[in-house]
Amino acid sequence: HILRHALTIMQNRVLTAIFFSCVRFGIPTLSLVHHALHSYRVHSPKTNPSLLLSSLGEACGIEYVEPVFRPPAEWRSLILQVTIGCSWNKCTFCEMYQNKNYQAKPIHDIIDDLDNVVQAGGAPYVRNVFLADGDAMTLPTGLLEKILEAIQERLPRVRRISSYCLPRNIRGKSVEALSKLKKKGLSLVYIGCESGDDIVLAAVQKGETHKTSLDALKKLEDAGIKRSVMILLGLGGEEHSKNHAVNSAMLCNEAKPEFLSVLTTSFPRGKDRILEGYEQNDDSNVPFKELTARESLKELKLFLEALNLPREGKTIFRSDHASNYLVLKGRLGRDQERLVTEIKSVLDAPEEDDEVNLRPEWARGL
């Protein structure tokens, strides 16, 4: 396992170095290298999706305020940092932006980053742009319009512009305002709903409820912006696992998002913050207890069983984030039974087989 992981890192770094050199020196084989990167990422299941986090932007001279995070599906995208950190940054389970003070990046700096891409010769190869950091949608509509216009002017081959989004970011924006952003090119947002259970949301200081999340999702739907909902397995701990799974499924049943993904709770810096949050905000007085890998799979199975989405299979489901123990892919509810069966086959197998069937702890991460 260690040797395979090391070789994967080496291969990725070599490809990234070639890509960087081609962009810097304007070598025509840039497109071939770009396709090689794509082919390698698609056909190598052992590849860690975070290893080429910002390669295109870095190759074109963009300087990022690290760390930078993006969804697995955005690995080919140009990462354009329009905000630094997260405007809320109070969730007790999240450690992504703890070392960053939130600020909006000046529009002239954003345009400079785009100009760097153009000057480096990277513009023809940018198909997708992801607006970072944690919740770019908190920016005023007028500023977002200027950013989207700048992208369209400088990167004429862009097909998709996307962003992380908190439900609270949508509260102050009308459907008309969101529709304007859609017309300017914003086509997809990743909504960190995390849970549909109000007790869990309060305990982790999410600052949202089932209703506020649903209202935001409905408003985005009315504006024609596609929604990718993220649910966090294990967020309710052992005590609230069932309600967390069932109520999260209920939220998704009501919203019917175009995309749905699950991540798994992990605590690389320890559990102090989430333990304190549950102690202060959960009336059950039961300390938070992290789920085991198998308990997490049981929660995922319950979540999938509680989903009641149209059989046409319009909702694309993914459990391919690096934090997850088991990779699952399909369409809901067309493939729902198959997905549940895959989980059941792992749970029915002897625990010693988990070493082969599940992603090992050392390979999991944000």
Side-chain angles (χ1 to χ4, degrees), residues 209-256:
T209 64
H210 183 112
K211 184 181 185 304
T212 61
S213 295
L214 181 60
D215 289 345
L217 291 168
K218 289 291 189 181
K219 193 182 286 188
L220 287 163
E221 181 184 24
D222 291 341
I225 297 175
K226 292 182 179 180
R227 305 147 301 158
S228 181
V229 170
M230 296 178 287
I231 299 296
L232 196 52
L233 297 174
L235 193 60
E238 188 178 273
E239 176 69 13
H240 300 290
S241 179
K242 180 179 179 180
N243 287 341
H244 169 53
V246 172
N247 289 326
S248 296
M250 187 183 301
L251 173 65
C252 296
N253 290 338
E254 293 169 310
K256 297 178 177 59

Side-chain angles (χ1 to χ4, degrees), residues 153-275:
E153 288 172 4
R154 290 162 176 80
L155 307 175
R157 301 189 70 181
V158 163
R159 298 176 301 191
R160 184 183 77 208
I161 303 174
S162 57
S163 170
Y164 279 138
C165 178
L166 298 178
R168 68 191 320 105
N169 298 156
I170 305 302
R171 212 164 297 158
K173 290 181 171 64
S174 65
V175 173
E176 181 183 4
L178 293 169
S179 298
K180 289 181 180 179
L181 298 179
K182 173 66 167 59
K183 289 178 181 178
K184 296 288 184 180
L186 181 69
S187 56
L188 171 67
V189 293
Y190 296 85
I191 311 285
C193 293
E194 326 302 358
S195 178
D197 186 82
D198 285 345
I199 292 177
V200 172
L201 290 169
V204 300
Q205 298 177 19
K206 177 68 180 178
E208 302 288 352
T209 64
H210 183 112
K211 184 181 185 304
T212 61
S213 295
L214 181 60
D215 289 345
L217 291 168
K218 289 291 189 181
K219 193 182 286 188
L220 287 163
E221 181 184 24
D222 291 341
I225 297 175
K226 292 182 179 180
R227 305 147 301 158
S228 181
V229 170
M230 296 178 287
I231 299 296
L232 196 52
L233 297 174
L235 193 60
E238 188 178 273
E239 176 69 13
H240 300 290
S241 179
K242 180 179 179 180
N243 287 341
H244 169 53
V246 172
N247 289 326
S248 296
M250 187 183 301
L251 173 65
C252 296
N253 290 338
E254 293 169 310
K256 297 178 177 59
E258 290 76 16
F259 302 91
L260 173 59
S261 63
V262 294
L263 294 75
T264 302
T265 310
S266 59
F267 305 97
R269 297 185 183 179
K271 303 184 186 74
D272 290 348
R273 294 176 64 237
I274 196 163
L275 288 172

Side-chain angles (χ1 to χ4, degrees), residues 81-98:
Q81 212 165 21
V82 300
T83 61
I84 309 299
C86 171
S87 63
W88 178 247
N89 212 23
K90 296 178 183 179
C91 300
T92 61
F93 59 86
C94 181
E95 300 174 349
M96 293 166 65
Y97 305 108
Q98 288 299 301

